[in-house]
Amino acid sequence: MIILKEIVYKVAIEAVKGSTEIAVNKIEFDSRRIEANDVFVAIRGTISDGHDFIEKAISLGATAIVCDTLPEVTVAGITYIQVKDTNSALAFMASNFYDNPSSKLRLVGITGTNGKTTIASLLYQLFKKAGYKVGLLSTVKIMVDTIEYKATHTTPDSLTINHYLNEMIEMGCEYCFMEVSSHGVHQKRTEGLQFEGGVFTNLSHDHLDYHPTFAEYRDVKKSFFDYLPKSAFALTNVDDKNGAVMLQNTNARKLTYALKSYANYKAQILENQLSGLLLKINENEVWVKLIGTFNAYNLLAIYGTAVELGIESFEALRLLSELESVSGRFQFIVSDEKITAIVDYAHTPDALENVLKTINDIRTKNEQLITVVGCGGDRDKAKRPIMANIATTMSDKVIITSDNPRTENPSTIIAEMEAGVEPQNFKKSLSIEDRKQAIKTACQLANANDIILIAGKGHETYQEIQGVRHDFDDMKMVKEFLQQMNK
């Protein structure tokens, strides 16, 4: 039990009705999880409003309510705290409840459209190889040193973040690397956290189903850097036109990385092969196992972060050379018939273009490049024709298919993608609604030395259709079909 007054420290309180000296059990924002003596925080979500469940929370045993609008009728013996913003309140309360765990380790947040998962996951891998106990909060998984938990969101809710940060402290972790999404920042999930560093990757067309304009999407990303303390570092990709914008109002130490521009951390690609990259980073050469220009940027951000956190530069380069690719990020296999299949999470126009450019830079052009691509339902519709146009322009054959249609009709999504295919590329493309059949067809179309790219889902092991998640793994699927062909 903890005294209520202690967990509302730093919360912007507008009014209090009742006592804050009461002992409370835990904090909840889901009324269904309320138990005796809990605090219920009423969050206004996109689907439901927690204020509608205040009575239910009290009936289940809540003794304190945190809300932005006080109920017209209050219950005797219940403490009501009116706050300016319940999302922000929840973040500070969660941090206080767990005794501010982010201040007890070195927390680095990675934000941007593409590259967050790769950078966070490889920083975790690098610091583990350096002998440290490390935590990871990513889209793919949550790691508390060596213990793995399933991730449900790119940036979890404030309670979940602080719960796992506290577990990391208890396990003796010294570092934590965390993906920071625009949704997470906008919904104040990262407030109350003490970051030692922030990394910006790039900004391109994404999440415009959530953010009304690209400018808001950019500014939400920027606000993460605006609130970094003087003691932190802000490392940004200045080859991206929004890279410098991120640093405009930050109090943190300003640092840059780039392949094309002058920067604190500069790299040059000397060799780009399917087996890896030869990079020259700040005058020193290093061979790495990852491939493609986009990974050169990711590795440069990782190197810069490692050095800023105190790892000696030559040791950082040595550790960089040992890093293995992240699940669903340019993962590839080569079949007995010499067909290369690549699975990548590329689900934005920029990411798809980067992956296809990487493949085209490496290939000899004597082989076919067959791309399987779809777009998610209930998400930004504007990118659908753009992605189909990129795929058909940069590939020899394209199969347009389902991704996660969610509550939308897959045929509608596919039709909206097809609208982006230019007349000269019509013959290159075909549409197959069933994703399994689309992958099978790609394998049947492929000959020796051809390359198949399966884009969009990457590490995901499900396909979401009408609210139901069905088992589906692109890598397992393509392996199975290629093995059948070998037989």
Side-chain angles (χ1 to χ4, degrees):
M1 301 285 274
I2 188 169
I3 303 301
L4 178 59
K5 183 171 74 175
E6 294 174 8
I7 60 172
V8 293
Y9 176 64
K10 289 188 178 179
V11 172
I13 296 173
E14 298 197 326
V16 177
K17 187 172 183 179
S19 174
T20 59
E21 296 290 344
I22 61 171
V24 294
N25 179 34
K26 67 184 192 304
I27 308 163
E28 291 290 358
F29 63 91
D30 184 340
S31 60
R32 294 167 296 184
R33 296 179 186 166
I34 289 288
E35 296 174 321
N37 300 312
D38 283 352
V39 184
F40 176 62
V41 183
I43 301 290
R44 295 189 191 277
T46 51
I47 297 170
S48 62
D49 184 351
H51 291 76
D52 296 335
F53 301 94
I54 289 174
E55 283 185 26
K56 181 186 176 186
I58 293 169
S59 72
L60 291 171
T63 51
I65 303 295
V66 176
C67 50
D68 60 35
T69 305
L70 288 172
E72 289 181 12
V73 179
T74 57
V75 178
I78 303 297
T79 300
Y80 295 85
I81 300 177
Q82 185 181 2
V83 299
K84 191 174 181 180
D85 183 323
T86 51
N87 282 300
S88 177
L90 178 65
F92 283 108
M93 289 171 68
S95 189
N96 292 332
F97 183 81
Y98 288 103
D99 196 21
N100 299 291
S102 63
S103 66
K104 299 173 186 174
L105 44 63
R106 304 178 79 180
L107 177 64
V108 176
I110 299 99
T111 194
T113 305
N114 303 309
K116 296 188 296 295
T117 302
T118 297
I119 293 171
S121 301
L122 293 183
L123 277 166
Y124 167 85
Q125 200 183 118
L126 186 147
F127 276 77
K128 285 295 292 176
K129 288 178 181 290
Y132 294 100
K133 288 194 169 187
V134 193
L136 171 69
L137 293 165
S138 82
T139 304
V140 178
K141 59 188 173 184
I142 293 168
M143 297 296 299
V144 177
D145 194 34
T146 56
I147 303 169
E148 182 177 330
Y149 298 92
K150 192 174 181 181
T152 55
H153 295 81
T154 303
T155 307
D157 65 80
S158 310
L159 281 171
T160 303
I161 292 170
N162 283 281
H163 165 77
Y164 283 117
L165 288 176
N166 188 56
E167 280 204 14
M168 291 171 198
I169 299 301
E170 290 177 354
M171 285 288 288
C173 292
E174 297 174 65
Y175 298 89
C176 176
F177 302 102
M178 173 182 175
E179 287 188 54
V180 177
S181 68
S182 60
H183 292 65
V185 176
H186 190 253
Q187 294 169 11
K188 314 287 176 71
R189 297 182 211 160
T190 54
E191 283 198 10
L193 300 180
Q194 190 172 311
F195 286 92
E196 180 148 342
V199 179
F200 170 73
T201 62
N202 48 63
L203 208 64
S204 67
H205 201 288
D206 198 20
H207 298 308
L208 297 188
D209 54 309
Y210 180 85
H211 300 284
T213 64
F214 185 83
E216 186 198 273
Y217 177 48
R218 178 200 63 213
D219 292 345
V220 167
K221 295 278 189 191
K222 179 181 175 294
S223 69
F224 170 68
F225 294 93
D226 292 348
Y227 291 104
L228 288 176
K230 282 184 180 178
S231 57
F233 67 84
L235 176 62
T236 184
N237 170 11
V238 285
D239 281 348
D240 186 284
K241 62 184 179 182
N242 292 290
V245 175
M246 300 296 142
L247 301 179
Q248 283 174 358
N249 303 106
T250 189
N251 291 315
R253 192 168 75 258
K254 298 176 181 181
L255 298 160
T256 56
Y257 68 96
L259 297 183
K260 302 170 187 172
S261 315
Y262 176 80
N264 299 99
Y265 296 99
K266 184 81 190 286
Q268 181 183 356
I269 299 173
L270 303 179
E271 289 182 34
N272 185 8
Q273 303 172 13
L274 204 54
S275 54
L277 285 167
L278 179 62
L279 297 175
K280 187 176 184 181
I281 299 179
N282 286 7
E283 304 307 314
N284 295 299
E285 292 186 14
V286 61
W287 177 264
V288 293
K289 297 173 187 175
L290 282 74
I291 67 173
T293 303
F294 62 98
N295 270 325
Y297 280 107
N298 292 338
L299 290 160
L300 198 49
I302 291 160
Y303 172 78
T305 302
V307 172
E308 292 305 320
L309 290 174
I311 292 186
E312 193 274 327
S313 57
F314 282 107
E315 175 66 357
L317 289 172
R318 184 187 72 77
L319 293 167
L320 215 62
S321 71
E322 295 180 2
L323 298 179
E324 305 281 350
S325 64
V326 178
S327 173
R329 267 66 178 177
F330 215 98
Q331 264 191 304
F332 70 91
I333 56 163
V334 182
S335 75
D336 292 347
E337 301 209 342
K338 302 292 182 245
I339 296 168
T340 300
I342 300 164
V343 170
D344 193 271
Y345 188 53
H347 62 288
T348 66
D350 190 52
L352 183 62
E353 187 171 353
N354 283 337
V355 171
L356 287 168
K357 185 178 185 304
T358 294
I359 297 168
N360 282 318
D361 286 346
I362 295 167
R363 61 186 284 221
T364 64
K365 305 293 193 294
N366 292 320
E367 67 289 280
Q368 291 187 105
L369 169 54
I370 304 166
T371 297
V372 178
V373 65
C375 286
D378 305 331
R379 297 293 186 270
D380 182 4
K381 294 185 177 187
K383 68 183 181 184
R384 293 172 183 174
I386 300 169
M387 288 186 68
N389 182 33
I390 290 167
T392 51
T393 301
M394 300 180 74
S395 313
D396 298 301
K397 285 191 176 77
V398 175
I399 302 172
I400 298 171
T401 188
S402 293
D403 191 282
N404 290 316
R406 300 184 178 89
T407 64
E408 280 196 73
N409 186 327
S411 61
T412 302
I413 300 170
I414 289 169
E416 289 176 0
M417 290 184 72
E418 288 171 339
V421 180
E422 295 180 359
Q424 67 270 25
N425 294 325
F426 285 165
K427 288 184 179 178
K428 286 186 182 183
S429 71
L430 68 150
S431 299
I432 300 174
E433 190 174 306
D434 184 288
R435 190 174 180 90
K436 181 177 180 179
Q437 189 59 45
I439 294 171
K440 183 177 183 179
T441 302
C443 294
Q444 291 170 334
L445 290 172
N447 299 311
N449 301 314
D450 285 351
I451 300 168
I452 300 168
L453 169 65
I454 304 168
K457 288 174 54 59
H459 64 282
E460 293 177 351
T461 54
Y462 63 85
Q463 188 175 26
E464 189 176 331
I465 304 167
Q466 294 300 325
V468 180
R469 290 190 170 188
H470 305 267
D471 288 345
F472 200 102
D473 186 316
D474 283 352
M475 182 55 83
K476 280 185 182 176
M477 200 72 69
V478 75
K479 275 182 182 176
E480 182 186 311
F481 289 133
L482 288 175
Q483 283 168 0
Q484 287 174 9
M485 286 173 61
N486 291 337
K487 288 175 186 175

